[in-house]
Amino acid sequence: MKTRVQAARRPSSLAFWLLSVPLGLGALWLASRPAHAADANAPALFQQHCAACHGADRLGGMGPALLPENLERLRKAEALKTIREGRAATQMPAFKDQLSEADIAALADYAYAPVNPKPTWTEKDIRASRIQHVDEKTLSPKPVFKADPMNLFVVVEGGDHHVSILDGDKLEPIHRFQSRYALHGGPKFSPDGRFVYFASRDGWLTKFDLWNLKVVAEVRAGINTRNAAVSGDGKYVMAANYLPQDLVLFDADLNLIKVMEAKSADGKESSRVSAVYDAAPRKSFVAAMKDMPEVWEISYDPEAHPIYDGLVHDYQYKEGVSVPGFLNPRRTRLTDPLDDFFFDQSYSEVMGTSREGKGQVVNLDARRKVSELQLSGMPHLGSGITWNWQGRTVMASTNLKEGKVTVIDMKDWKPVKDIVTRGAGFFLRSHENSRYAFVDSMMSPAKDTLQVIDKDKLEIVKELKPVPGKTLAHIEFTKDGRYALASLWEMDGALIIYDARTLEEVKRLPMKKPVGKYNVWNKITRSEGTSH
């Protein structure tokens, strides 16, 4: 086990996480494709050609796990091409000279076939997977470079599975290192900004020391992981998993503390975990369930009140069955699941939507829905931002199905305005010191165009289209809001840096599909212009 896990340090293999791929196509393909004569030989073919990298049990090794739960973003044509031709800049070889087309198709089908019984990843597996790369005590307590540690950018380059560290003052890279395969786009930072934690889709958590530019420790939290969160006091890290269906809690050094199965109180329902976020003012993590109408709040405050899931006659005399409030889930039961959500400034209320577009506002203190959100399409609230408009706080969200940005009054939860854009977009970003918000249309034919919104006028005042036909997305600002960095989201891509006042291009930094960039200061101070 130890050898297999350590071998996974080098990312490789099939490109089975493509952000641009519509969900569910792989499953549709599997259901509709006629069987091949070679299908019966698929297990043997897999053991011969694939198991060394992807594991004999398909749970991953040097390459990612090959399971239906992990492959929902895969296009048929891309899968066949990758098996046939290999993948550049990885250890994935080409099989076109070794396998027939029927065998290649059979292998693809096999990767999508459900494993029965469903694979597990136990506490024992988690503990056995942990790797301590360096002893933290031997590292410098101060940055080993001259750049402002609060104005660093962490740039996730999905094209060749690397991370670049960027000096936000000089706007130049100072370090680059190889990452795990298919990192989730949103790394999380310790409160002092020294450490950053990455989560990969195939379950790996990585702790990186930004001041010493070294990977400190890693652990595999699951088989298919959605995201991770770091507690506001820096003591805990939590991972949200699709497979197994659970939340996994670690200390700051990635030592396992506990696993919480995502099940209803009566144990009759289970769910994939959509996401987990830190609610620092509440000293808690908040998690949404994809398949179950519940929101969980897990307090990391040792003084948290006991949790009563059943009927209570008298709280004063503690007449009822309770569990400790510290590091246990407090459930808010709803009528519809939440797949994506956004906190208000107090973190007491959550704006959420399901994949069906049903919106609601949940009060975490009252533990119930307090309002509905009248939103059409598929709002992407997790990428929302806030600002002050005419003396009131508004929140704005992109939409994954419709070309618009919806601005919502956070007092009465009603839409103020729909700002029409070129097409469906994913990311919306701004900064306290900027009058502008930037939105992409990367989910549409207008993927090459960034639109600039005047936050006072609530209208688009400029469009940026530096490379026609190429995807331009994901803005992040420097610490002071002076510059805005956009991603040319291509294999031979770049960070395109704009003056946030004049909106003129300043420079370009070549990057390999920079899927996201994250400023330390903006993240640890919970800037209103970026997601948390």
Side-chain angles (χ1 to χ4, degrees), residues 303-345:
E303 304 301 319
H305 295 299
I307 298 169
Y308 296 87
D309 268 329
L311 296 175
V312 178
H313 179 259
D314 192 320
Y315 283 101
Q316 180 180 356
Y317 294 102
K318 300 181 179 179
E319 296 180 5
V321 178
S322 69
V323 296
F326 179 56
L327 301 183
N328 282 306
R330 186 184 301 273
R331 305 165 191 269
T332 296
R333 294 174 177 82
L334 307 169
T335 56
D336 298 294
L338 294 184
D339 193 67
D340 190 21
F341 58 92
F342 181 90
F343 292 102
D344 72 348
Q345 285 76 14

Side-chain angles (χ1 to χ4, degrees), residues 86-325:
R87 182 163 172 79
T90 75
Q91 302 297 315
M92 177 67 189
F95 286 98
K96 61 184 178 182
D97 295 331
Q98 301 178 53
L99 299 174
S100 67
E101 280 297 308
D103 285 348
I104 289 172
L107 277 174
D109 279 355
Y110 184 64
Y112 278 106
V115 172
N116 190 18
K118 183 176 287 189
T120 60
W121 193 251
T122 66
E123 292 187 17
K124 181 179 179 181
D125 295 324
I126 295 171
R127 289 192 172 93
S129 73
R130 188 181 180 279
I131 306 168
Q132 187 75 41
H133 290 281
V134 297
D135 182 352
E136 200 171 307
K137 296 178 182 178
T138 66
L139 300 176
S140 170
K142 298 180 180 180
V144 297
F145 46 80
K146 294 182 179 180
D148 178 1
M150 293 292 102
N151 198 25
L152 297 179
F153 285 83
V154 173
V155 185
V156 176
E157 296 184 68
D160 61 353
H161 316 297
H162 278 72
V163 172
S164 286
I165 308 302
L166 183 71
D167 180 339
D169 291 320
K170 294 182 178 180
L171 299 173
E172 292 289 348
I174 61 174
H175 186 66
R176 192 172 191 262
F177 65 98
Q178 194 172 43
S179 73
R180 288 285 173 180
Y181 188 89
L183 292 186
H184 180 271
K188 300 301 191 299
F189 297 87
S190 61
D192 61 0
R194 174 175 175 176
F195 299 103
V196 58
Y197 295 83
F198 301 93
S200 71
R201 290 299 190 194
D202 54 352
W204 283 95
L205 300 183
T206 301
K207 179 181 182 180
F208 183 81
D209 187 338
L210 282 168
W211 292 3
N212 288 273
L213 304 177
K214 292 183 179 295
V215 174
V216 177
E218 294 184 292
V219 68
R220 193 175 188 184
I223 299 170
N224 186 352
T225 296
R226 295 303 296 167
N227 77 322
V230 177
S231 63
D233 59 10
K235 294 180 179 180
Y236 304 100
V237 180
M238 181 169 279
N241 286 330
Y242 266 17
L243 185 68
Q245 296 179 355
D246 57 26
L247 289 159
V248 186
L249 182 68
F250 301 90
D251 66 17
D253 295 320
L254 300 183
N255 295 296
L256 179 65
I257 295 176
K258 69 184 298 185
V259 174
M260 305 175 203
E261 289 188 89
K263 290 187 175 181
S264 58
D266 60 10
K268 295 180 179 179
E269 293 183 87
S270 62
S271 176
R272 294 167 290 175
V273 185
S274 295
V276 61
Y277 294 105
D278 175 55
R282 301 177 64 84
K283 299 181 180 180
S284 66
F285 294 110
V286 178
M289 303 293 153
K290 189 174 184 67
D291 312 304
M292 189 168 63
E294 292 187 0
V295 171
W296 288 13
E297 183 171 17
I298 300 100
S299 177
Y300 47 80
D301 181 357
E303 304 301 319
H305 295 299
I307 298 169
Y308 296 87
D309 268 329
L311 296 175
V312 178
H313 179 259
D314 192 320
Y315 283 101
Q316 180 180 356
Y317 294 102
K318 300 181 179 179
E319 296 180 5
V321 178
S322 69
V323 296

Side-chain angles (χ1 to χ4, degrees), residues 351-473:
M351 303 166 64
T353 55
S354 67
R355 280 295 174 182
E356 290 71 37
K358 295 181 180 179
Q360 54 188 314
V361 181
V362 178
N363 186 288
L364 294 174
D365 293 321
R367 296 170 63 188
R368 64 182 179 87
K369 183 177 78 172
V370 295
S371 181
E372 292 188 354
L373 292 173
Q374 301 299 323
L375 304 174
S376 63
M378 189 183 289
H380 187 218
L381 297 181
S383 189
I385 63 173
T386 63
W387 67 86
N388 184 279
W389 180 74
Q390 297 186 359
R392 48 184 165 159
T393 300
V394 295
M395 179 267 191
S397 171
T398 55
N399 198 296
L400 303 181
K401 286 188 175 179
E402 300 179 3
K404 65 180 182 181
V405 169
T406 300
V407 182
I408 302 167
D409 188 320
M410 295 194 71
K411 186 174 183 180
D412 61 13
W413 310 108
K414 293 181 179 179
V416 173
K417 184 178 181 180
D418 282 335
I419 303 172
V420 178
T421 64
R422 290 283 183 182
F426 202 90
F427 297 106
L428 179 67
R429 293 289 185 267
S430 187
H431 192 277
E432 292 86 345
N433 297 335
S434 176
R435 64 180 295 183
Y436 300 120
F438 293 73
V439 62
D440 63 67
S441 292
M442 68 176 295
M443 313 294 287
S444 76
K447 64 181 182 179
D448 56 3
T449 304
L450 275 179
Q451 292 125 107
V452 183
I453 297 171
D454 186 305
K455 295 191 294 187
D456 292 326
K457 298 178 180 178
L458 300 186
E459 62 183 44
I460 293 171
V461 294
K462 189 167 183 176
E463 292 186 343
L464 305 173
K465 191 176 180 179
V467 186
K470 303 297 183 180
T471 301
L472 188 66

